[in-house]
Amino acid sequence: MQYLFEPDIYTDRRRVLQASMQGNVLLFPGNKNSPINYAANYYRFRQDSNFLYYAGLDLPGLNLVIDADKGTTILYGDDATMEDVVWTGPQPTLKELAASVGIADVRPASRLFEDYADCSMHTLPPYRAEHYAVLQRLATHADCSVAPSEQLILAVVSQREIKGPEEVAQMEEALEITAQMHTKVMRTAKSGMRESVLAGVATGIARANEGEPAYGIILSRDGHILHNHHYHNVLQKGDLVLGDFGAENRMRYAADITRTFPVDKRFSPEQADIYNIVLEAEMKGINAVRPGQMFRDVHLLASQIIADGLIAMGLMRGNPEDAVASGAHALFFPHGLGHMIGLDVHDMEGLGEDHVGYGTECTRSDQFGLAYLRMAKSLRPGHVVTVEPGIYFIPALIDQWQRQGLHQAFIAYDKLTAFRNFGGVRIEDNVLVTAEGQRVLGPRIPKTVAEVESLRAKA
Amino acid sequence: MQYLFEPDIYTDRRRVLQASMQGNVLLFPGNKNSPINYAANYYRFRQDSNFLYYAGLDLPGLNLVIDADKGTTILYGDDATMEDVVWTGPQPTLKELAASVGIADVRPASRLFEDYADCSMHTLPPYRAEHYAVLQRLATHADCSVAPSEQLILAVVSQREIKGPEEVAQMEEALEITAQMHTKVMRTAKSGMRESVLAGVATGIARANEGEPAYGIILSRDGHILHNHHYHNVLQKGDLVLGDFGAENRMRYAADITRTFPVDKRFSPEQADIYNIVLEAEMKGINAVRPGQMFRDVHLLASQIIADGLIAMGLMRGNPEDAVASGAHALFFPHGLGHMIGLDVHDMEGLGEDHVGYGTECTRSDQFGLAYLRMAKSLRPGHVVTVEPGIYFIPALIDQWQRQGLHQAFIAYDKLTAFRNFGGVRIEDNVLVTAEGQRVLGPRIPKTVAEVESLRAKA
């Protein structure tokens, strides 16, 4: 069963792309099944996002050619055999499926290598080994050159970065599922429970709604370990739990939400202090999102709020503007404020972060912390971004900085000992840039200290 | 965190392999992360099963060389950097990890291509595109040849097919989780519920126990669609639900269990009739499992019971022995009775089904039905096999056979019309061959009509 937009949506998207790539031939290799431990046991299928954007069909083994020279679109792929029908049930023909995304020209998979045997093709950067195989096979034809193309990347980014209302509706569906996931996790967690139980709760809800987790779930008492995809720990009284997860809905649009909550019914005073700094940074960050606003400056605003708060708590010191300018706050907030989101959780990351988040408007900083900012450029209506500030106490990083004597004017290293086991706090929402300002997408997911504690009281 | 056997287990396994591959160099490429929709967003990591068997470590980016010429074992891989430690938390060194599986010689990943630049290596058949890349890179060295080797395949099969007690314990852990999954699904299902909700329940329990579904969950009112990985349907009164799923536990051993139950509290009389035929075939099939017994004959015994039962119901006719000999029963039971199971759900399928299930003892039939039997050879103590007979009413297959006039002496085509919407029944357990006979592994999962109905009464 295919969940699709109306055919016109896809036809219009291809028409726009053809116009900006006039005279060229564009190849979009679809994904295949990815084997787990042998060829016939594969991971759940995920179509390539660019293929989904221009041709919708969520099936393995297809290739799409948009011939902006001849003005045609061709879908290459093979129909199910009679044997397939016995094992997998009646299937619509590829011709029928193609018609449902506005494509009339369907050809056998192998024809690709004949039809474009002596042609130059633009394509996007491959990220799966199977993509390289397709390009390699095409390249063995004497006169065929097919290569990742910056012109095509820029054309695709300029389309995909502006979300249409039909896409926003899908992202809100993903967020509805994600809200269920977070709410249920917050109501289920208790001391003595293994993190994996909560990861199971979240995964189960995503799948129940014909979705999947959009990315590897982060769900841990070790919230300060930013790239942590393990769930081995047992929750203890006094812990904070950081949950960063979201559903990809049935049309493969992603949600990306983070909440942090105490294993106890209430935040401790220190936990509440840190939490409220992050919450202020998140809410003021969201309010700063509007057309024409550089997202880098929203990042710096949030950084400023974090520095202010940590100075008030005595964990940092000195002038907060200078602290942020020097990058001292990045000991506690070492990542970027957010990124675009859409069909990919880091939307279009495969096309190059700088193409997506910087463009020609600005260049990436090499300062620790700011260097990890994926999105920096000016916001436009239709952009959807995450806003996700955090404060972490990362023992390895604290020790490294202290050893190297970094930012001693701004960091109260002697005060950090008491926080070595604190973990981390991050709060994240997904925000649409509107003509007037911004709108937080999806249902409200408990976020203030009072809201979170009210939910924890029911656990 | 690595879940591992004692180092001696791995050392002994490698010693046995070295003895049978004397004078040769053996390469086991470990798996890498598989990208979903861009390079940094990947599926949950699954190590190659052969790598797990000989070196245990469940981490991406490793390669193992067992040099049966020099008598050495070398692990190739790179340690985490300081930057990794900041993002992923403190990690044990590769040296420490290797020691925990009895390997002392650890070298940087890139050294593989220097150390074995002019050497012939045996390896196993690749099944991921990344494996081909490693082999290709090695092959570009002038004097290095590395190729899938039948000698190595046979040596590995002869070890992995006999499960040690430490492996059986892991498979029973996987079955404990799987029993929870099936029981909860049977207690949760109700009319009006989408299949995906039940798939979510099963997935959630696997993950809660630090496991994963060992293979794509089959959970459908369309039990007759054998390769059905969709969960779009809404359950209706009168439906049968076929659930074929199992957990891979934290040490990556698989369980593979099928149960079939009614959406109503009770089976209808026709459902109970078909169910009891399948149950008899399963239980008598299990009882026939013992050392020295050819599994092909167990398959034929189960087929015979199915033919007998369908003749008694008037859906088949004639002499049951002749019906099975001609393959007529395969209209209803078109697949094999079972397969080996272990680290892979179809154990070692990547090494070639005929090497694993047939060997030199027998050859695969080309008769429809029997041709799909994965395991045919004689059983030995330490084998673990699935026993999974089924009866299905597959409209596309019925129509095809009737159109072609197949097996008219044995099939009462006129009686099948009433069963076109029946769906299918399959019942499956995992069975260890012991010295004396056999043992069904794991806890008992409700299986008789009375047991299933008792569970459904609580739903």
Side-chain angles (χ1 to χ4, degrees):
Chain A
M1 188 164 180
Q2 296 286 310
Y3 295 106
L4 298 167
F5 296 125
E6 293 298 310
D8 284 358
I9 295 278
Y10 301 104
T11 307
D12 288 347
R13 288 173 178 173
R14 293 192 300 266
R15 187 181 303 131
V16 169
L17 185 63
Q18 284 200 22
S20 62
M21 294 294 296
Q22 265 179 30
N24 295 295
V25 180
L26 320 176
L27 171 68
F28 293 90
N31 284 344
K32 298 183 178 175
N33 282 313
S34 289
I36 303 174
N37 48 340
Y38 52 90
N41 194 32
Y42 33 78
Y43 293 105
R44 58 121 182 164
F45 176 69
R46 176 55 158 78
Q47 184 56 289
D48 173 70
S49 296
N50 298 298
F51 191 98
L52 278 180
Y53 188 80
Y54 291 107
L57 300 176
D58 198 6
L59 286 172
L62 304 176
N63 286 304
L64 178 74
V65 170
I66 299 177
D67 191 327
D69 184 24
K70 301 202 191 90
T72 56
T73 297
I74 310 167
L75 184 70
Y76 291 92
D78 295 319
D79 268 314
T81 63
M82 180 63 206
E83 194 177 343
D84 294 333
V85 170
V86 167
W87 302 113
T88 62
Q91 309 292 328
T93 65
L94 209 49
K95 192 98 187 160
E96 290 163 339
L97 290 168
S100 66
V101 293
I103 298 175
D105 194 347
V106 178
R107 303 184 190 178
S110 62
R111 275 283 297 277
L112 171 64
F113 302 97
E114 300 166 24
D115 290 355
Y116 291 94
D118 55 354
C119 165
S120 285
M121 289 197 270
H122 294 248
T123 192
L124 295 170
Y127 57 89
R128 287 190 180 191
E130 73 219 39
H131 297 156
Y132 291 98
V134 172
L135 302 195
Q136 212 165 30
R137 182 160 168 202
L138 279 164
T140 57
H141 289 285
D143 299 322
C144 179
S145 91
V146 53
S149 144
E150 188 165 313
Q151 187 190 352
L152 180 57
I153 288 171
L154 297 177
V156 170
V157 168
S158 74
Q159 283 188 273
R160 281 185 56 190
E161 71 177 329
I162 305 299
K163 273 66 180 176
E166 76 286 356
E167 296 187 278
V168 171
Q170 292 298 322
M171 297 179 75
E172 299 223 72
E173 183 179 291
L175 284 158
E176 290 279 354
I177 301 166
T178 304
Q180 289 178 46
M181 292 159 74
H182 276 275
T183 309
K184 180 81 175 179
V185 163
M186 280 194 251
R187 291 184 69 147
T188 303
K190 60 182 178 188
S191 170
M193 185 175 275
R194 196 175 292 274
E195 294 161 352
S196 59
V197 174
L198 299 175
V201 164
T203 304
I205 294 171
R207 293 205 96 179
N209 289 279
E210 302 186 70
E212 291 284 340
Y215 52 98
I217 288 175
I218 295 171
L219 203 162
S220 181
R221 63 192 292 260
D222 291 329
H224 62 286
I225 303 180
L226 299 181
H227 296 172
N228 182 3
H229 295 120
H230 293 285
Y231 323 108
H232 302 306
N233 298 313
V234 174
L235 302 183
Q236 312 285 346
K237 284 181 192 303
D239 285 348
L240 283 177
V241 180
L242 188 152
D244 182 348
F245 48 87
E248 173 179 279
N249 81 335
R250 57 193 183 172
M251 286 193 67
R252 308 301 170 210
Y253 281 85
D256 182 357
I257 295 289
T258 307
R259 290 293 183 268
T260 307
F261 62 88
V263 170
D264 300 331
K265 303 280 180 203
R266 312 283 305 265
F267 289 91
S268 75
E270 292 75 19
Q271 288 172 344
D273 285 348
I274 296 289
Y275 190 93
N276 279 320
I277 297 171
V278 177
L279 184 63
E280 185 186 350
E282 200 235 16
M283 290 171 62
K284 291 194 172 158
I286 289 171
N287 281 331
V289 166
R290 69 179 73 91
Q293 171 71 54
M294 273 193 77
F295 196 71
R296 186 173 61 193
D297 293 333
V298 184
H299 170 89
L300 292 172
L301 169 70
S303 302
Q304 184 75 49
I305 293 166
I306 286 170
D308 283 347
L310 292 173
I311 289 168
M313 283 184 73
L315 303 179
M316 290 183 68
R317 58 191 168 217
N319 176 296
E321 285 78 14
D322 295 345
V324 169
S326 75
H329 67 292
L331 177 61
F332 306 100
F333 175 38
H335 61 75
L337 185 67
H339 49 79
M340 293 223 204
I341 180 168
L343 280 167
D344 306 307
V345 57
H346 294 167
D347 209 28
M348 301 174 277
E349 182 168 304
L351 305 184
E353 269 182 18
D354 287 356
H355 287 307
V356 176
Y358 288 76
T360 53
E361 189 179 349
C362 50
T363 53
R364 192 182 281 258
S365 165
D366 56 8
Q367 187 185 74
F368 178 84
L370 197 51
Y372 296 109
L373 183 63
R374 301 176 193 278
M375 170 73 186
K377 69 187 184 184
S378 294
L379 295 165
R380 294 166 54 200
H383 281 172
V384 181
V385 293
T386 66
V387 177
E388 48 177 313
I391 294 179
Y392 316 90
F393 296 87
I394 307 170
L397 191 62
I398 293 169
D399 293 346
Q400 187 189 44
W401 280 33
Q402 189 165 19
R403 220 166 30 237
Q404 296 174 359
L406 295 182
H407 299 295
Q408 287 171 317
F410 300 112
I411 310 287
Y413 286 106
D414 55 319
K415 301 284 172 56
L416 300 185
T417 312
F419 285 81
R420 286 182 77 89
N421 296 316
F422 183 93
V425 171
R426 179 164 66 252
I427 307 172
E428 175 181 23
D429 284 300
N430 302 164
V431 183
L432 169 69
V433 183
T434 61
E436 304 78 30
Q438 85 298 122
R439 180 162 69 84
V440 176
L441 293 180
R444 181 168 181 92
I445 303 171
K447 179 158 87 162
T448 65
V449 164
E451 285 170 336
V452 171
E453 290 184 347
S454 159
L455 206 56
R456 291 296 296 147
K458 295 171 194 155
Chain B
M1 186 164 181
Q2 296 285 311
Y3 296 106
L4 296 167
F5 295 125
E6 292 300 308
D8 283 357
I9 295 279
Y10 301 104
T11 307
D12 288 346
R13 289 174 177 172
R14 294 192 300 266
R15 188 181 304 132
V16 169
L17 185 62
Q18 285 200 20
S20 62
M21 294 295 295
Q22 267 182 29
N24 296 295
V25 180
L26 321 175
L27 171 68
F28 294 90
N31 283 344
K32 297 183 178 175
N33 282 312
S34 289
I36 303 174
N37 49 341
Y38 52 89
N41 194 32
Y42 33 77
Y43 292 106
R44 58 118 182 165
F45 175 69
R46 176 55 157 79
Q47 184 57 287
D48 173 69
S49 296
N50 298 299
F51 191 98
L52 278 180
Y53 187 80
Y54 292 108
L57 300 176
D58 198 7
L59 286 171
L62 304 176
N63 287 304
L64 178 74
V65 170
I66 298 178
D67 192 327
D69 184 24
K70 300 202 192 93
T72 55
T73 298
I74 310 167
L75 184 71
Y76 291 92
D78 295 319
D79 268 314
T81 63
M82 181 62 207
E83 195 176 342
D84 294 330
V85 170
V86 167
W87 302 113
T88 61
Q91 309 293 326
T93 65
L94 210 47
K95 192 97 185 158
E96 289 163 338
L97 290 169
S100 66
V101 292
I103 297 175
D105 194 348
V106 178
R107 304 184 190 177
S110 62
R111 275 282 298 279
L112 171 63
F113 303 96
E114 300 166 26
D115 290 356
Y116 290 94
D118 55 356
C119 166
S120 285
M121 288 198 270
H122 294 249
T123 193
L124 295 170
Y127 57 89
R128 287 189 179 191
E130 72 219 39
H131 297 156
Y132 291 98
V134 172
L135 302 195
Q136 211 165 32
R137 184 161 167 201
L138 279 164
T140 56
H141 288 286
D143 299 319
C144 180
S145 91
V146 54
S149 144
E150 188 167 311
Q151 187 190 353
L152 181 56
I153 289 171
L154 297 177
V156 170
V157 168
S158 73
Q159 284 189 273
R160 281 184 57 190
E161 71 177 326
I162 306 299
K163 273 64 179 176
E166 76 286 355
E167 296 187 278
V168 172
Q170 293 299 321
M171 297 179 77
E172 299 224 72
E173 184 179 289
L175 283 158
E176 290 279 354
I177 301 166
T178 303
Q180 289 178 47
M181 293 159 73
H182 277 275
T183 309
K184 180 83 175 177
V185 163
M186 281 194 250
R187 292 183 69 146
T188 303
K190 59 181 179 189
S191 170
M193 185 176 275
R194 196 175 291 276
E195 295 161 350
S196 60
V197 174
L198 299 176
V201 164
T203 305
I205 293 172
R207 295 205 96 180
N209 289 280
E210 303 187 70
E212 292 284 342
Y215 52 97
I217 288 174
I218 296 171
L219 204 162
S220 179
R221 63 191 292 261
D222 291 330
H224 62 288
I225 303 179
L226 299 181
H227 296 173
N228 182 3
H229 295 120
H230 292 286
Y231 323 109
H232 301 309
N233 298 313
V234 174
L235 302 183
Q236 312 285 345
K237 283 180 194 304
D239 286 348
L240 282 177
V241 179
L242 188 153
D244 181 347
F245 48 86
E248 172 178 279
N249 81 332
R250 56 193 183 173
M251 285 192 70
R252 308 301 170 213
Y253 281 84
D256 181 356
I257 296 290
T258 308
R259 289 293 183 268
T260 307
F261 62 88
V263 170
D264 300 331
K265 302 280 182 203
R266 311 284 303 265
F267 288 91
S268 75
E270 292 75 20
Q271 288 173 345
D273 285 347
I274 296 289
Y275 190 92
N276 279 322
I277 299 171
V278 177
L279 184 63
E280 185 188 349
E282 201 235 14
M283 290 171 61
K284 291 194 173 158
I286 289 172
N287 281 332
V289 166
R290 71 179 72 92
Q293 171 71 54
M294 273 195 77
F295 196 71
R296 186 172 61 192
D297 293 334
V298 185
H299 171 87
L300 292 171
L301 169 70
S303 302
Q304 184 75 50
I305 294 165
I306 286 170
D308 283 347
L310 292 173
I311 289 168
M313 284 184 72
L315 302 179
M316 291 183 69
R317 59 190 167 216
N319 175 296
E321 284 78 15
D322 294 347
V324 169
S326 75
H329 67 291
L331 177 61
F332 306 98
F333 175 38
H335 61 74
L337 185 68
H339 50 80
M340 292 223 205
I341 179 168
L343 280 166
D344 306 308
V345 58
H346 294 167
D347 209 29
M348 302 175 275
E349 183 168 305
L351 304 185
E353 270 182 16
D354 287 356
H355 288 307
V356 176
Y358 288 76
T360 53
E361 189 180 349
C362 50
T363 53
R364 191 182 283 256
S365 165
D366 57 7
Q367 185 185 74
F368 177 82
L370 197 52
Y372 295 111
L373 183 63
R374 300 176 193 278
M375 170 73 183
K377 69 186 184 185
S378 294
L379 296 166
R380 294 167 54 199
H383 281 173
V384 182
V385 293
T386 66
V387 176
E388 48 176 315
I391 294 179
Y392 316 90
F393 295 87
I394 307 170
L397 191 61
I398 293 170
D399 294 345
Q400 188 189 42
W401 280 33
Q402 190 165 19
R403 219 168 30 237
Q404 297 173 359
L406 295 183
H407 300 295
Q408 287 171 317
F410 300 112
I411 309 286
Y413 285 108
D414 55 318
K415 301 285 173 55
L416 300 185
T417 312
F419 285 81
R420 286 182 77 88
N421 295 316
F422 183 94
V425 171
R426 182 165 62 252
I427 307 173
E428 174 182 24
D429 284 300
N430 302 164
V431 183
L432 170 69
V433 183
T434 62
E436 303 77 31
Q438 85 297 125
R439 181 162 69 83
V440 176
L441 294 180
R444 182 169 180 91
I445 304 170
K447 178 158 87 162
T448 65
V449 165
E451 285 171 337
V452 171
E453 290 184 346
S454 159
L455 205 56
R456 291 296 297 147
K458 297 172 191 153

